[in-house]
Amino acid sequence: VSALAEDAEEQPENWYEAGVRLEEANPELAEGAYRKAIELEPAHADAYVNLTALLCDAGRCEEALALCNDAIAHCPNVALLHFNRGVALEALGHIESAIAEYEQCLRLDRTLADAHYNLGRLYHERGRGQDAIRHLSEYRRLHKS
């Protein structure tokens, strides 16, 4: 019986699910659970997505950016990882790089409304009116769906 329990503890999905449950009540424990899931499965995209968002939300954007870089090396075609990298880059003031990440995110998944919104906002700030209108219109269309 103890071998089965030990085996269950070493399943990355169990650690990921624990992280999800803990996020609101105890972000520090959630972070540890996500890190354990990634340690057990270095290509666990969902754990990377949640952990990088958690780090950014905590103002730890440099850590989130470094983790996004690792994550994308393992999971290059996960749109939300590019989105989170864009958020981290934007928070760190690297606006052109953030724009490139949001664009990559949308190349992978055109339906991510928040990426359209962020791009529209950044394009507007950069004086790229047509691009801003296009992305903000797409954001509104996706939110109506």
Side-chain angles (χ1 to χ4, degrees), residues 63-143:
E63 283 180 71
L65 180 58
L67 190 61
C68 280
N69 294 338
D70 291 344
I72 289 170
H74 292 287
C75 315
N77 297 319
V78 176
L80 285 173
L81 289 173
H82 290 278
F83 177 82
N84 286 358
R85 186 156 66 175
V87 170
L89 286 163
E90 185 178 349
L92 294 169
H94 305 293
I95 304 305
E96 293 304 318
S97 295
I99 287 171
E101 283 305 316
Y102 294 138
E103 288 173 343
Q104 177 60 23
C105 169
L106 290 173
R107 278 192 286 280
L108 294 168
D109 185 349
R110 299 291 308 161
T111 67
L112 289 175
D114 288 342
H116 284 289
Y117 178 82
N118 288 2
L119 262 178
R121 186 177 40 75
L122 292 177
Y123 282 145
H124 176 75
E125 290 173 9
R126 290 287 194 251
R128 293 174 57 180
Q130 287 293 84
D131 291 326
I133 289 168
R134 180 170 47 91
H135 284 286
L136 292 173
S137 294
E138 187 62 11
Y139 167 77
R140 283 190 289 280
R141 186 189 71 75
L142 288 167
H143 263 282

Side-chain angles (χ1 to χ4, degrees), residues 23 34 46-61 64 67-68 80-81 83-85 87:
E23 246 186 67
Y34 290 138
D46 291 336
Y48 277 119
V49 167
N50 287 15
L51 180 53
T52 55
L54 187 74
L55 292 173
C56 267
D57 288 346
R60 296 163 57 193
C61 294
L67 190 61
C68 280
L80 285 173
L81 289 173
F83 177 82
N84 286 358
R85 186 156 66 175
V87 170

